Amino acid sequence: MMAYLLKGVSILGAAPTDLHISDGVISAEPAGQDAEVIDASGLVALPGLVDVHTHLREPGREDAETVETGSRAAALGGYTAVCAMANTSPVADTAGVVEQVWRLGREAGLVDVQPIGAVTVGLAGKQMAELGAMASSAAGVRIFSDDGFCVADPKLMRRALEYVKAFDGVIAQHAEEPRLTEGAQMHEGEVSTRLGLTGWPAVAEEAIIARDVLLAEHVGSRLHVCHVSTAGSVEVLRQAKARGVRVTAEVTPHHLLLTDELASGYDPVFKVNPPLRTRKDVEALRQALLDGVIDVVATDHAPHAVQDKECEWSYARPGMLGLETALPIVLSVFGPKWELIADRMSIAPARIAGLDSHGGDLTRAGTPANLTLVDPAARWVVDPAELASRSRNTPYAGHTLPGRIVATFLRGEATVLDGKAVK
Ligand SMILES: NC(=O)N[C@@H](CC(=O)O)C(=O)O
Ligand SMILES: [Zn+2]
Ligand SMILES: [Zn+2]
């Protein structure tokens, strides 16, 4: 096993120090002659990022992404763990499928791939999947989600919350009242009216979150809200948290930056669920992340093959890439608030996902060496052709972004060095 000495590194923006990595953990002692020395002056060390919402597309759409290509994109983005969403083909609704995804993650060996199990069979919203079997499988599933679809049936949602309570599981809801979003192509507002596109109203998200926090409160179980996108949702969450409801929430980098005005050019790269909202929503989401009303940044990395994305707006699949640009976008929005970034992108997501070996304290000897090194001064231009993802649907093509991932370590082994994946 390699040993490393990160010379002159700044841990979360603190004064430069030397960081020793050996035997897979942070070590108090220099490892001696054999350690590879990395000049880390000017670089910031963060606990390895953890994504609670990633679409890896395997099994079923390996033309868009595989566990391996998505893992590589994640490592290059500074991630050491990702939670793989269940909307694969076949759906990850059995112990067999989640174990397959988990095993593919182990084989790729670039990040910890933690499968999310479906709440309902085939994501059909009718019959509960075998949540217990997925939880007790080798994959040890803790998060369940029908993401892509909402668990719209309130009775089914209640039963799922009750069921996972036994093993401290969590239901991650894609909050969308389907009757209010029929035919929706973008956010319902001034821009959709001008473009003549059917809108997804903010209330379609807010109504489900309001219902679900009440259900979670009633059951005393854990709810996680995927990709929160509106100012109204933030207010519902703020009130629920003030009452002590066991609810956590995520926001994506794109909802922290981009607005519905971008639909004006009808470029489907900006088509995503939930849709890009207004400037007012963006401001409220930023404030909510600062306040902790929203707990984490999650990418909702949603790779799509060219033919599913480069077509007429109404035919294009919703979703955009996220793993390789998440940290730079967050850095561009909030600046070098390293404590905040570490909490919202590593510590809190690791806690939500139950990934105990991630999001650790890098100043403590014995902490598993899951970390990433960022060069905050480096600026780079996003070139879709250079991304490690198998897909190209980034909304940031041609953007100059701050912050480059220089190295990532998974249990003390480098997965990224000099900005390049090691395998
Ligand atoms: N976000 C998206 O627009 N698409 C996601 C599904 C989802 O997150 O709802 C996908 O799987 O492509
Ligand atoms: Zn979703
Ligand atoms: Zn998603």
Side-chain angles (χ1 to χ4, degrees), residues 73-114:
L76 285 163
Y79 287 86
T80 51
V82 301
C83 299
M85 270 298 172
N87 65 337
T88 49
S89 179
V91 169
D93 58 2
T94 61
V97 179
V98 293
E99 280 183 0
Q100 181 196 1
V101 171
W102 179 76
R103 189 174 41 75
L104 289 166
R106 294 261 298 221
E107 280 167 21
L110 289 157
V111 289
D112 283 344
V113 174
Q114 177 58 50

Side-chain angles (χ1 to χ4, degrees), residues 53 55 85 147 227 300:
H53 189 153
H55 296 274
M85 270 298 172
D147 182 53
H227 41 48
D300 194 9

Side-chain angles (χ1 to χ4, degrees), residues 234-248:
V234 168
E235 282 322 303
V236 174
L237 289 166
R238 196 184 299 279
Q239 291 171 25
K241 286 196 162 190
R243 285 204 308 281
V245 180
R246 300 174 74 198
V247 58
T248 54

